[in-house]
Amino acid sequence: MKEETKLIQNILSDPLTGAISTPIYQTSTYVQEAPGVHKGFDYTRTNNPTRKILEDLITHLEYGYASLAFSSGLASVDAILKLLESGSEIVAVDDIYGGTFRLLNLYKKLGINTKFVDTTDAKKTISTISNKTKLVWLESPTNPTLKVSDIEYISKESKKKNSDILVVVDNTFASPVIQNPLKLGSDIVVHSATKYLAGHSDVLAGLITVKNTDLYEKLKYIQNATGGVLSPIDSWLTIRGSQTLYLRIKKQSQNAFQIASFLNKKRNSEIDQVFYPGLSNHKNHFIAVKQQRYFGGIVSFSLKKNTIESAKKVVTSTKIFKLAESLGGTKSLICHPATMTHKSTPTEVRINAGIQNSLIRLSIGIENVEDLIKDIDQALKSLSSQ
Ligand SMILES: *Cc1c(COP(=O)(O)O)cnc(C)c1O
């Protein structure tokens, strides 16, 4: 079976009633025949049938051994960090998701330090690994400049340096339709399912998929001990949203490619740089071609008039693109990282990470691409009336 078919086939109908839509098991506990004698479910923090269907679904999509669903992407990230002991070190991608950066800061207090490195430089990444390094944390593509790192090379070489290093990939921006990090040699893949997997901007969810029993047992213990599980209703919403994942990613990637090409042509007028891994002038285009099936639905660009004010003018002039944080939904969104998602990043750090004052990020939805291009075009015209 092809991937699209497998995705749908793996959402089983209810064995009790035949219901084709997954039932929402909105229950905290389960009746037992005798103490400890039950149907595999005893308490919803530990196990829930609706959540289990979602976990099995992502296990198939990511070619893993097993998965765990959490109440948010960051709850998943937190569970992974809890695998580490005080004194261990993390090597992480330098333009890491802001929430993960904040969380890593908290872990400093517990004696777990992070070295940040530009992981698009694979050799430099490997040479940053020390004998204290226990975890390599990758995101590819990154937010918002869409840097792409060579997951296969970094996974292989990290393990050569030290076989018990865990390589984790935050696959949120790509989704399992675009790349499967476990197949490329990583140990754990994590998703903010809030974004592409659930796909409709209506739920917060996090998913972890691991490659073996040992990691599953350890993370299951952490999840049960800390309790940040995904609720039955949110599990259902994520299953429901995931069913159209292939359709959405294909359409969003096609739309994004056309929009990136349109913006690229505007580089002789309003636009300075365009960031999209599908463009041949993108810094990591060749790794993206090697590693990804599609180039994804996020496009960023900067303006010739490189000021906060110019960017604000553009992001408040679109009509179809709604001004909002987050990404990966059916509706197109526009965002100004410098004053929104990266507001708390010190200016110098932000500029060094390539997030200029005028940088604008688009999360492309499933609307008609001509309408989207017209909308951006008229918003860019607002600059000349400045
Ligand atoms: C949004 C996001 C997260 C955090 O997920 P939440 O569901 O918001 O907790 C983690 N990583 C990346 C790359 C994200 O975009």
Side-chain angles (χ1 to χ4, degrees), residues 89-94 104 108 112-119 125 127-133 135-137:
E89 209 170 70
I90 301 169
V91 168
V93 52
D94 57 0
L104 288 169
K108 260 193 220 163
I112 295 168
N113 283 309
T114 305
K115 283 190 200 158
F116 292 98
V117 57
D118 176 2
T119 55
T125 308
S127 66
T128 308
I129 292 173
S130 75
N131 50 16
K132 281 199 225 154
T133 308
L135 204 89
V136 173
W137 192 279

mmCIF file with all atom_site columns, all heavy atoms in Angstrom, residues 89-94 104 108 112-119 125 127-133 135-137:
data_model
loop_
_atom_site.group_PDB
_atom_site.id
_atom_site.type_symbol
_atom_site.label_atom_id
_atom_site.label_alt_id
_atom_site.label_comp_id
_atom_site.label_asym_id
_atom_site.label_entity_id
_atom_site.label_seq_id
_atom_site.pdbx_PDB_ins_code
_atom_site.Cartn_x
_atom_site.Cartn_y
_atom_site.Cartn_z
_atom_site.occupancy
_atom_site.B_iso_or_equiv
_atom_site.pdbx_formal_charge
_atom_site.auth_seq_id
_atom_site.auth_comp_id
_atom_site.auth_asym_id
_atom_site.auth_atom_id
_atom_site.pdbx_PDB_model_num
ATOM 1   N N   . GLU A 1 89  ? 25.320 17.010 28.658 1.00 0.00 ? 89  GLU A N   1
ATOM 2   C CA  . GLU A 1 89  ? 25.333 18.167 27.773 1.00 0.00 ? 89  GLU A CA  1
ATOM 3   C C   . GLU A 1 89  ? 24.511 17.881 26.514 1.00 0.00 ? 89  GLU A C   1
ATOM 4   O O   . GLU A 1 89  ? 24.444 16.747 26.063 1.00 0.00 ? 89  GLU A O   1
ATOM 5   C CB  . GLU A 1 89  ? 26.789 18.408 27.367 1.00 0.00 ? 89  GLU A CB  1
ATOM 6   C CG  . GLU A 1 89  ? 27.138 19.830 27.070 1.00 0.00 ? 89  GLU A CG  1
ATOM 7   C CD  . GLU A 1 89  ? 28.662 19.941 26.923 1.00 0.00 ? 89  GLU A CD  1
ATOM 8   O OE1 . GLU A 1 89  ? 29.200 19.428 25.927 1.00 0.00 ? 89  GLU A OE1 1
ATOM 9   O OE2 . GLU A 1 89  ? 29.295 20.508 27.825 1.00 0.00 ? 89  GLU A OE2 1
ATOM 10  N N   . ILE A 1 90  ? 23.911 18.963 25.999 1.00 0.00 ? 90  ILE A N   1
ATOM 11  C CA  . ILE A 1 90  ? 23.126 18.847 24.761 1.00 0.00 ? 90  ILE A CA  1
ATOM 12  C C   . ILE A 1 90  ? 23.807 19.687 23.680 1.00 0.00 ? 90  ILE A C   1
ATOM 13  O O   . ILE A 1 90  ? 24.292 20.777 23.970 1.00 0.00 ? 90  ILE A O   1
ATOM 14  C CB  . ILE A 1 90  ? 21.685 19.381 24.991 1.00 0.00 ? 90  ILE A CB  1
ATOM 15  C CG1 . ILE A 1 90  ? 20.995 18.597 26.109 1.00 0.00 ? 90  ILE A CG1 1
ATOM 16  C CG2 . ILE A 1 90  ? 20.862 19.347 23.709 1.00 0.00 ? 90  ILE A CG2 1
ATOM 17  C CD1 . ILE A 1 90  ? 19.683 19.222 26.574 1.00 0.00 ? 90  ILE A CD1 1
ATOM 18  N N   . VAL A 1 91  ? 23.850 19.176 22.467 1.00 0.00 ? 91  VAL A N   1
ATOM 19  C CA  . VAL A 1 91  ? 24.274 19.990 21.322 1.00 0.00 ? 91  VAL A CA  1
ATOM 20  C C   . VAL A 1 91  ? 23.018 20.236 20.499 1.00 0.00 ? 91  VAL A C   1
ATOM 21  O O   . VAL A 1 91  ? 22.330 19.289 20.104 1.00 0.00 ? 91  VAL A O   1
ATOM 22  C CB  . VAL A 1 91  ? 25.359 19.264 20.488 1.00 0.00 ? 91  VAL A CB  1
ATOM 23  C CG1 . VAL A 1 91  ? 25.588 19.968 19.155 1.00 0.00 ? 91  VAL A CG1 1
ATOM 24  C CG2 . VAL A 1 91  ? 26.669 19.183 21.277 1.00 0.00 ? 91  VAL A CG2 1
ATOM 25  N N   . ALA A 1 92  ? 22.686 21.528 20.296 1.00 0.00 ? 92  ALA A N   1
ATOM 26  C CA  . ALA A 1 92  ? 21.403 21.841 19.657 1.00 0.00 ? 92  ALA A CA  1
ATOM 27  C C   . ALA A 1 92  ? 21.555 22.850 18.529 1.00 0.00 ? 92  ALA A C   1
ATOM 28  O O   . ALA A 1 92  ? 22.467 23.688 18.525 1.00 0.00 ? 92  ALA A O   1
ATOM 29  C CB  . ALA A 1 92  ? 20.421 22.382 20.698 1.00 0.00 ? 92  ALA A CB  1
ATOM 30  N N   . VAL A 1 93  ? 20.636 22.775 17.596 1.00 0.00 ? 93  VAL A N   1
ATOM 31  C CA  . VAL A 1 93  ? 20.546 23.705 16.458 1.00 0.00 ? 93  VAL A CA  1
ATOM 32  C C   . VAL A 1 93  ? 20.399 25.139 16.996 1.00 0.00 ? 93  VAL A C   1
ATOM 33  O O   . VAL A 1 93  ? 19.650 25.378 17.939 1.00 0.00 ? 93  VAL A O   1
ATOM 34  C CB  . VAL A 1 93  ? 19.361 23.309 15.548 1.00 0.00 ? 93  VAL A CB  1
ATOM 35  C CG1 . VAL A 1 93  ? 18.054 23.166 16.324 1.00 0.00 ? 93  VAL A CG1 1
ATOM 36  C CG2 . VAL A 1 93  ? 19.160 24.291 14.400 1.00 0.00 ? 93  VAL A CG2 1
ATOM 37  N N   . ASP A 1 94  ? 21.144 26.089 16.415 1.00 0.00 ? 94  ASP A N   1
ATOM 38  C CA  . ASP A 1 94  ? 21.177 27.429 17.013 1.00 0.00 ? 94  ASP A CA  1
ATOM 39  C C   . ASP A 1 94  ? 19.866 28.210 16.863 1.00 0.00 ? 94  ASP A C   1
ATOM 40  O O   . ASP A 1 94  ? 19.488 28.931 17.771 1.00 0.00 ? 94  ASP A O   1
ATOM 41  C CB  . ASP A 1 94  ? 22.389 28.243 16.541 1.00 0.00 ? 94  ASP A CB  1
ATOM 42  C CG  . ASP A 1 94  ? 22.463 28.384 15.025 1.00 0.00 ? 94  ASP A CG  1
ATOM 43  O OD1 . ASP A 1 94  ? 21.581 27.848 14.320 1.00 0.00 ? 94  ASP A OD1 1
ATOM 44  O OD2 . ASP A 1 94  ? 23.419 29.025 14.548 1.00 0.00 ? 94  ASP A OD2 1
ATOM 45  N N   . LEU A 1 104 ? 15.136 24.767 27.686 1.00 0.00 ? 104 LEU A N   1
ATOM 46  C CA  . LEU A 1 104 ? 16.544 24.392 27.898 1.00 0.00 ? 104 LEU A CA  1
ATOM 47  C C   . LEU A 1 104 ? 17.185 25.287 28.951 1.00 0.00 ? 104 LEU A C   1
ATOM 48  O O   . LEU A 1 104 ? 18.041 24.849 29.719 1.00 0.00 ? 104 LEU A O   1
ATOM 49  C CB  . LEU A 1 104 ? 17.319 24.475 26.576 1.00 0.00 ? 104 LEU A CB  1
ATOM 50  C CG  . LEU A 1 104 ? 16.981 23.375 25.557 1.00 0.00 ? 104 LEU A CG  1
ATOM 51  C CD1 . LEU A 1 104 ? 17.592 23.696 24.200 1.00 0.00 ? 104 LEU A CD1 1
ATOM 52  C CD2 . LEU A 1 104 ? 17.460 22.006 26.036 1.00 0.00 ? 104 LEU A CD2 1
ATOM 53  N N   . LYS A 1 108 ? 19.158 24.262 32.657 1.00 0.00 ? 108 LYS A N   1
ATOM 54  C CA  . LYS A 1 108 ? 20.484 24.703 33.124 1.00 0.00 ? 108 LYS A CA  1
ATOM 55  C C   . LYS A 1 108 ? 20.563 24.630 34.639 1.00 0.00 ? 108 LYS A C   1
ATOM 56  O O   . LYS A 1 108 ? 21.580 24.247 35.203 1.00 0.00 ? 108 LYS A O   1
ATOM 57  C CB  . LYS A 1 108 ? 20.712 26.159 32.700 1.00 0.00 ? 108 LYS A CB  1
ATOM 58  C CG  . LYS A 1 108 ? 21.571 26.318 31.487 1.00 0.00 ? 108 LYS A CG  1
ATOM 59  C CD  . LYS A 1 108 ? 21.999 27.770 31.358 1.00 0.00 ? 108 LYS A CD  1
ATOM 60  C CE  . LYS A 1 108 ? 21.965 28.193 29.905 1.00 0.00 ? 108 LYS A CE  1
ATOM 61  N NZ  . LYS A 1 108 ? 21.983 29.640 29.736 1.00 0.00 ? 108 LYS A NZ  1
ATOM 62  N N   . ILE A 1 112 ? 22.050 20.712 33.360 1.00 0.00 ? 112 ILE A N   1
ATOM 63  C CA  . ILE A 1 112 ? 22.107 20.209 31.982 1.00 0.00 ? 112 ILE A CA  1
ATOM 64  C C   . ILE A 1 112 ? 22.322 21.411 31.060 1.00 0.00 ? 112 ILE A C   1
ATOM 65  O O   . ILE A 1 112 ? 21.448 22.270 30.939 1.00 0.00 ? 112 ILE A O   1
ATOM 66  C CB  . ILE A 1 112 ? 20.818 19.443 31.623 1.00 0.00 ? 112 ILE A CB  1
ATOM 67  C CG1 . ILE A 1 112 ? 20.711 18.185 32.497 1.00 0.00 ? 112 ILE A CG1 1
ATOM 68  C CG2 . ILE A 1 112 ? 20.784 19.086 30.147 1.00 0.00 ? 112 ILE A CG2 1
ATOM 69  C CD1 . ILE A 1 112 ? 19.374 17.496 32.446 1.00 0.00 ? 112 ILE A CD1 1
ATOM 70  N N   . ASN A 1 113 ? 23.490 21.469 30.466 1.00 0.00 ? 113 ASN A N   1
ATOM 71  C CA  . ASN A 1 113 ? 23.835 22.623 29.628 1.00 0.00 ? 113 ASN A CA  1
ATOM 72  C C   . ASN A 1 113 ? 23.706 22.310 28.147 1.00 0.00 ? 113 ASN A C   1
ATOM 73  O O   . ASN A 1 113 ? 23.882 21.168 27.732 1.00 0.00 ? 113 ASN A O   1
ATOM 74  C CB  . ASN A 1 113 ? 25.264 23.081 29.926 1.00 0.00 ? 113 ASN A CB  1
ATOM 75  C CG  . ASN A 1 113 ? 25.312 23.864 31.231 1.00 0.00 ? 113 ASN A CG  1
ATOM 76  O OD1 . ASN A 1 113 ? 24.538 24.798 31.437 1.00 0.00 ? 113 ASN A OD1 1
ATOM 77  N ND2 . ASN A 1 113 ? 26.187 23.452 32.119 1.00 0.00 ? 113 ASN A ND2 1
ATOM 78  N N   . THR A 1 114 ? 23.429 23.374 27.375 1.00 0.00 ? 114 THR A N   1
ATOM 79  C CA  . THR A 1 114 ? 23.278 23.204 25.929 1.00 0.00 ? 114 THR A CA  1
ATOM 80  C C   . THR A 1 114 ? 24.309 24.044 25.187 1.00 0.00 ? 114 THR A C   1
ATOM 81  O O   . THR A 1 114 ? 24.513 25.207 25.520 1.00 0.00 ? 114 THR A O   1
ATOM 82  C CB  . THR A 1 114 ? 21.866 23.627 25.484 1.00 0.00 ? 114 THR A CB  1
ATOM 83  O OG1 . THR A 1 114 ? 20.912 22.896 26.250 1.00 0.00 ? 114 THR A OG1 1
ATOM 84  C CG2 . THR A 1 114 ? 21.635 23.340 24.012 1.00 0.00 ? 114 THR A CG2 1
ATOM 85  N N   . LYS A 1 115 ? 24.965 23.424 24.202 1.00 0.00 ? 115 LYS A N   1
ATOM 86  C CA  . LYS A 1 115 ? 25.837 24.166 23.275 1.00 0.00 ? 115 LYS A CA  1
ATOM 87  C C   . LYS A 1 115 ? 25.063 24.331 21.978 1.00 0.00 ? 115 LYS A C   1
ATOM 88  O O   . LYS A 1 115 ? 24.627 23.329 21.389 1.00 0.00 ? 115 LYS A O   1
ATOM 89  C CB  . LYS A 1 115 ? 27.099 23.353 22.978 1.00 0.00 ? 115 LYS A CB  1
ATOM 90  C CG  . LYS A 1 115 ? 28.135 23.365 24.081 1.00 0.00 ? 115 LYS A CG  1
ATOM 91  C CD  . LYS A 1 115 ? 29.399 22.733 23.493 1.00 0.00 ? 115 LYS A CD  1
ATOM 92  C CE  . LYS A 1 115 ? 30.334 22.240 24.564 1.00 0.00 ? 115 LYS A CE  1
ATOM 93  N NZ  . LYS A 1 115 ? 31.241 21.210 24.023 1.00 0.00 ? 115 LYS A NZ  1
ATOM 94  N N   . PHE A 1 116 ? 24.913 25.592 21.541 1.00 0.00 ? 116 PHE A N   1
ATOM 95  C CA  . PHE A 1 116 ? 24.179 25.845 20.306 1.00 0.00 ? 116 PHE A CA  1
ATOM 96  C C   . PHE A 1 116 ? 25.154 25.956 19.139 1.00 0.00 ? 116 PHE A C   1
ATOM 97  O O   . PHE A 1 116 ? 26.215 26.552 19.268 1.00 0.00 ? 116 PHE A O   1
ATOM 98  C CB  . PHE A 1 116 ? 23.356 27.125 20.433 1.00 0.00 ? 116 PHE A CB  1
ATOM 99  C CG  . PHE A 1 116 ? 22.236 26.978 21.424 1.00 0.00 ? 116 PHE A CG  1
ATOM 100 C CD1 . PHE A 1 116 ? 22.375 27.444 22.728 1.00 0.00 ? 116 PHE A CD1 1
ATOM 101 C CD2 . PHE A 1 116 ? 21.059 26.340 21.065 1.00 0.00 ? 116 PHE A CD2 1
ATOM 102 C CE1 . PHE A 1 116 ? 21.353 27.282 23.658 1.00 0.00 ? 116 PHE A CE1 1
ATOM 103 C CE2 . PHE A 1 116 ? 20.031 26.176 21.988 1.00 0.00 ? 116 PHE A CE2 1
ATOM 104 C CZ  . PHE A 1 116 ? 20.177 26.646 23.280 1.00 0.00 ? 116 PHE A CZ  1
ATOM 105 N N   . VAL A 1 117 ? 24.767 25.350 18.025 1.00 0.00 ? 117 VAL A N   1
ATOM 106 C CA  . VAL A 1 117 ? 25.658 25.323 16.858 1.00 0.00 ? 117 VAL A CA  1
ATOM 107 C C   . VAL A 1 117 ? 24.814 25.414 15.581 1.00 0.00 ? 117 VAL A C   1
ATOM 108 O O   . VAL A 1 117 ? 23.659 24.988 15.562 1.00 0.00 ? 117 VAL A O   1
ATOM 109 C CB  . VAL A 1 117 ? 26.547 24.043 16.899 1.00 0.00 ? 117 VAL A CB  1
ATOM 110 C CG1 . VAL A 1 117 ? 25.692 22.786 16.963 1.00 0.00 ? 117 VAL A CG1 1
ATOM 111 C CG2 . VAL A 1 117 ? 27.506 23.958 15.729 1.00 0.00 ? 117 VAL A CG2 1
ATOM 112 N N   . ASP A 1 118 ? 25.405 26.003 14.556 1.00 0.00 ? 118 ASP A N   1
ATOM 113 C CA  . ASP A 1 118 ? 24.735 26.052 13.255 1.00 0.00 ? 118 ASP A CA  1
ATOM 114 C C   . ASP A 1 118 ? 24.810 24.651 12.651 1.00 0.00 ? 118 ASP A C   1
ATOM 115 O O   . ASP A 1 118 ? 25.826 24.267 12.073 1.00 0.00 ? 118 ASP A O   1
ATOM 116 C CB  . ASP A 1 118 ? 25.438 27.078 12.358 1.00 0.00 ? 118 ASP A CB  1
ATOM 117 C CG  . ASP A 1 118 ? 24.848 27.105 10.957 1.00 0.00 ? 118 ASP A CG  1
ATOM 118 O OD1 . ASP A 1 118 ? 23.879 26.353 10.687 1.00 0.00 ? 118 ASP A OD1 1
ATOM 119 O OD2 . ASP A 1 118 ? 25.348 27.888 10.124 1.00 0.00 ? 118 ASP A OD2 1
ATOM 120 N N   . THR A 1 119 ? 23.738 23.883 12.799 1.00 0.00 ? 119 THR A N   1
ATOM 121 C CA  . THR A 1 119 ? 23.771 22.471 12.388 1.00 0.00 ? 119 THR A CA  1
ATOM 122 C C   . THR A 1 119 ? 23.719 22.282 10.866 1.00 0.00 ? 119 THR A C   1
ATOM 123 O O   . THR A 1 119 ? 23.834 21.153 10.388 1.00 0.00 ? 119 THR A O   1
ATOM 124 C CB  . THR A 1 119 ? 22.632 21.660 13.050 1.00 0.00 ? 119 THR A CB  1
ATOM 125 O OG1 . THR A 1 119 ? 21.386 22.288 12.747 1.00 0.00 ? 119 THR A OG1 1
ATOM 126 C CG2 . THR A 1 119 ? 22.820 21.573 14.550 1.00 0.00 ? 119 THR A CG2 1
ATOM 127 N N   . THR A 1 125 ? 29.074 20.633 13.671 1.00 0.00 ? 125 THR A N   1
ATOM 128 C CA  . THR A 1 125 ? 28.155 20.040 14.647 1.00 0.00 ? 125 THR A CA  1
ATOM 129 C C   . THR A 1 125 ? 28.812 18.855 15.333 1.00 0.00 ? 125 THR A C   1
ATOM 130 O O   . THR A 1 125 ? 28.791 18.740 16.557 1.00 0.00 ? 125 THR A O   1
ATOM 131 C CB  . THR A 1 125 ? 26.848 19.591 13.945 1.00 0.00 ? 125 THR A CB  1
ATOM 132 O OG1 . THR A 1 125 ? 26.337 20.697 13.201 1.00 0.00 ? 125 THR A OG1 1
ATOM 133 C CG2 . THR A 1 125 ? 25.808 19.110 14.938 1.00 0.00 ? 125 THR A CG2 1
ATOM 134 N N   . SER A 1 127 ? 31.990 18.199 15.548 1.00 0.00 ? 127 SER A N   1
ATOM 135 C CA  . SER A 1 127 ? 33.166 18.566 16.359 1.00 0.00 ? 127 SER A CA  1
ATOM 136 C C   . SER A 1 127 ? 32.754 19.283 17.654 1.00 0.00 ? 127 SER A C   1
ATOM 137 O O   . SER A 1 127 ? 33.557 19.418 18.569 1.00 0.00 ? 127 SER A O   1
ATOM 138 C CB  . SER A 1 127 ? 34.148 19.405 15.541 1.00 0.00 ? 127 SER A CB  1
ATOM 139 O OG  . SER A 1 127 ? 33.552 20.640 15.233 1.00 0.00 ? 127 SER A OG  1
ATOM 140 N N   . THR A 1 128 ? 31.513 19.709 17.758 1.00 0.00 ? 128 THR A N   1
ATOM 141 C CA  . THR A 1 128 ? 31.026 20.345 18.996 1.00 0.00 ? 128 THR A CA  1
ATOM 142 C C   . THR A 1 128 ? 30.692 19.287 20.066 1.00 0.00 ? 128 THR A C   1
ATOM 143 O O   . THR A 1 128 ? 30.594 19.590 21.243 1.00 0.00 ? 128 THR A O   1
ATOM 144 C CB  . THR A 1 128 ? 29.774 21.204 18.692 1.00 0.00 ? 128 THR A CB  1
ATOM 145 O OG1 . THR A 1 128 ? 30.081 22.077 17.607 1.00 0.00 ? 128 THR A OG1 1
ATOM 146 C CG2 . THR A 1 128 ? 29.350 22.060 19.879 1.00 0.00 ? 128 THR A CG2 1
ATOM 147 N N   . ILE A 1 129 ? 30.513 18.038 19.620 1.00 0.00 ? 129 ILE A N   1
ATOM 148 C CA  . ILE A 1 129 ? 30.168 16.959 20.555 1.00 0.00 ? 129 ILE A CA  1
ATOM 149 C C   . ILE A 1 129 ? 31.354 16.653 21.479 1.00 0.00 ? 129 ILE A C   1
ATOM 150 O O   . ILE A 1 129 ? 32.482 16.500 21.001 1.00 0.00 ? 129 ILE A O   1
ATOM 151 C CB  . ILE A 1 129 ? 29.763 15.685 19.761 1.00 0.00 ? 129 ILE A CB  1
ATOM 152 C CG1 . ILE A 1 129 ? 28.436 15.943 19.029 1.00 0.00 ? 129 ILE A CG1 1
ATOM 153 C CG2 . ILE A 1 129 ? 29.668 14.461 20.669 1.00 0.00 ? 129 ILE A CG2 1
ATOM 154 C CD1 . ILE A 1 129 ? 28.029 14.835 18.084 1.00 0.00 ? 129 ILE A CD1 1
ATOM 155 N N   . SER A 1 130 ? 31.102 16.625 22.784 1.00 0.00 ? 130 SER A N   1
ATOM 156 C CA  . SER A 1 130 ? 32.171 16.280 23.735 1.00 0.00 ? 130 SER A CA  1
ATOM 157 C C   . SER A 1 130 ? 31.815 14.950 24.400 1.00 0.00 ? 130 SER A C   1
ATOM 158 O O   . SER A 1 130 ? 30.762 14.374 24.118 1.00 0.00 ? 130 SER A O   1
ATOM 159 C CB  . SER A 1 130 ? 32.286 17.370 24.802 1.00 0.00 ? 130 SER A CB  1
ATOM 160 O OG  . SER A 1 130 ? 31.211 17.253 25.723 1.00 0.00 ? 130 SER A OG  1
ATOM 161 N N   . ASN A 1 131 ? 32.680 14.477 25.319 1.00 0.00 ? 131 ASN A N   1
ATOM 162 C CA  . ASN A 1 131 ? 32.320 13.196 25.959 1.00 0.00 ? 131 ASN A CA  1
ATOM 163 C C   . ASN A 1 131 ? 31.193 13.342 26.980 1.00 0.00 ? 131 ASN A C   1
ATOM 164 O O   . ASN A 1 131 ? 30.700 12.356 27.506 1.00 0.00 ? 131 ASN A O   1
ATOM 165 C CB  . ASN A 1 131 ? 33.554 12.474 26.528 1.00 0.00 ? 131 ASN A CB  1
ATOM 166 C CG  . ASN A 1 131 ? 34.395 13.386 27.387 1.00 0.00 ? 131 ASN A CG  1
ATOM 167 O OD1 . ASN A 1 131 ? 33.920 14.455 27.792 1.00 0.00 ? 131 ASN A OD1 1
ATOM 168 N ND2 . ASN A 1 131 ? 35.615 12.997 27.658 1.00 0.00 ? 131 ASN A ND2 1
ATOM 169 N N   . LYS A 1 132 ? 30.763 14.600 27.230 1.00 0.00 ? 132 LYS A N   1
ATOM 170 C CA  . LYS A 1 132 ? 29.602 14.809 28.110 1.00 0.00 ? 132 LYS A CA  1
ATOM 171 C C   . LYS A 1 132 ? 28.286 14.838 27.308 1.00 0.00 ? 132 LYS A C   1
ATOM 172 O O   . LYS A 1 132 ? 27.206 14.770 27.881 1.00 0.00 ? 132 LYS A O   1
ATOM 173 C CB  . LYS A 1 132 ? 29.739 16.156 28.825 1.00 0.00 ? 132 LYS A CB  1
ATOM 174 C CG  . LYS A 1 132 ? 30.676 16.143 30.009 1.00 0.00 ? 132 LYS A CG  1
ATOM 175 C CD  . LYS A 1 132 ? 30.352 17.370 30.866 1.00 0.00 ? 132 LYS A CD  1
ATOM 176 C CE  . LYS A 1 132 ? 31.585 18.099 31.319 1.00 0.00 ? 132 LYS A CE  1
ATOM 177 N NZ  . LYS A 1 132 ? 31.346 19.517 31.578 1.00 0.00 ? 132 LYS A NZ  1
ATOM 178 N N   . THR A 1 133 ? 28.416 14.975 25.986 1.00 0.00 ? 133 THR A N   1
ATOM 179 C CA  . THR A 1 133 ? 27.212 15.120 25.162 1.00 0.00 ? 133 THR A CA  1
ATOM 180 C C   . THR A 1 133 ? 26.374 13.841 25.174 1.00 0.00 ? 133 THR A C   1
ATOM 181 O O   . THR A 1 133 ? 26.872 12.758 24.886 1.00 0.00 ? 133 THR A O   1
ATOM 182 C CB  . THR A 1 133 ? 27.583 15.467 23.695 1.00 0.00 ? 133 THR A CB  1
ATOM 183 O OG1 . THR A 1 133 ? 28.454 16.596 23.713 1.00 0.00 ? 133 THR A OG1 1
ATOM 184 C CG2 . THR A 1 133 ? 26.351 15.781 22.871 1.00 0.00 ? 133 THR A CG2 1
ATOM 185 N N   . LEU A 1 135 ? 22.875 14.203 24.062 1.00 0.00 ? 135 LEU A N   1
ATOM 186 C CA  . LEU A 1 135 ? 21.738 14.439 23.177 1.00 0.00 ? 135 LEU A CA  1
ATOM 187 C C   . LEU A 1 135 ? 22.134 15.425 22.081 1.00 0.00 ? 135 LEU A C   1
ATOM 188 O O   . LEU A 1 135 ? 22.792 16.428 22.363 1.00 0.00 ? 135 LEU A O   1
ATOM 189 C CB  . LEU A 1 135 ? 20.606 15.058 24.009 1.00 0.00 ? 135 LEU A CB  1
ATOM 190 C CG  . LEU A 1 135 ? 19.195 14.887 23.509 1.00 0.00 ? 135 LEU A CG  1
ATOM 191 C CD1 . LEU A 1 135 ? 18.633 13.587 24.085 1.00 0.00 ? 135 LEU A CD1 1
ATOM 192 C CD2 . LEU A 1 135 ? 18.317 16.025 23.984 1.00 0.00 ? 135 LEU A CD2 1
ATOM 193 N N   . VAL A 1 136 ? 21.740 15.121 20.842 1.00 0.00 ? 136 VAL A N   1
ATOM 194 C CA  . VAL A 1 136 ? 21.887 16.076 19.751 1.00 0.00 ? 136 VAL A CA  1
ATOM 195 C C   . VAL A 1 136 ? 20.478 16.445 19.320 1.00 0.00 ? 136 VAL A C   1
ATOM 196 O O   . VAL A 1 136 ? 19.668 15.557 19.027 1.00 0.00 ? 136 VAL A O   1
ATOM 197 C CB  . VAL A 1 136 ? 22.703 15.482 18.576 1.00 0.00 ? 136 VAL A CB  1
ATOM 198 C CG1 . VAL A 1 136 ? 22.700 16.419 17.379 1.00 0.00 ? 136 VAL A CG1 1
ATOM 199 C CG2 . VAL A 1 136 ? 24.136 15.180 19.023 1.00 0.00 ? 136 VAL A CG2 1
ATOM 200 N N   . TRP A 1 137 ? 20.175 17.753 19.363 1.00 0.00 ? 137 TRP A N   1
ATOM 201 C CA  . TRP A 1 137 ? 18.808 18.214 19.086 1.00 0.00 ? 137 TRP A CA  1
ATOM 202 C C   . TRP A 1 137 ? 18.769 18.962 17.762 1.00 0.00 ? 137 TRP A C   1
ATOM 203 O O   . TRP A 1 137 ? 19.379 20.018 17.620 1.00 0.00 ? 137 TRP A O   1
ATOM 204 C CB  . TRP A 1 137 ? 18.322 19.140 20.217 1.00 0.00 ? 137 TRP A CB  1
ATOM 205 C CG  . TRP A 1 137 ? 16.846 19.398 20.114 1.00 0.00 ? 137 TRP A CG  1
ATOM 206 C CD1 . TRP A 1 137 ? 16.231 20.291 19.295 1.00 0.00 ? 137 TRP A CD1 1
ATOM 207 C CD2 . TRP A 1 137 ? 15.802 18.734 20.840 1.00 0.00 ? 137 TRP A CD2 1
ATOM 208 N NE1 . TRP A 1 137 ? 14.864 20.214 19.448 1.00 0.00 ? 137 TRP A NE1 1
ATOM 209 C CE2 . TRP A 1 137 ? 14.584 19.269 20.388 1.00 0.00 ? 137 TRP A CE2 1
ATOM 210 C CE3 . TRP A 1 137 ? 15.800 17.726 21.819 1.00 0.00 ? 137 TRP A CE3 1
ATOM 211 C CZ2 . TRP A 1 137 ? 13.350 18.841 20.899 1.00 0.00 ? 137 TRP A CZ2 1
ATOM 212 C CZ3 . TRP A 1 137 ? 14.575 17.303 22.314 1.00 0.00 ? 137 TRP A CZ3 1
ATOM 213 C CH2 . TRP A 1 137 ? 13.370 17.863 21.852 1.00 0.00 ? 137 TRP A CH2 1
#
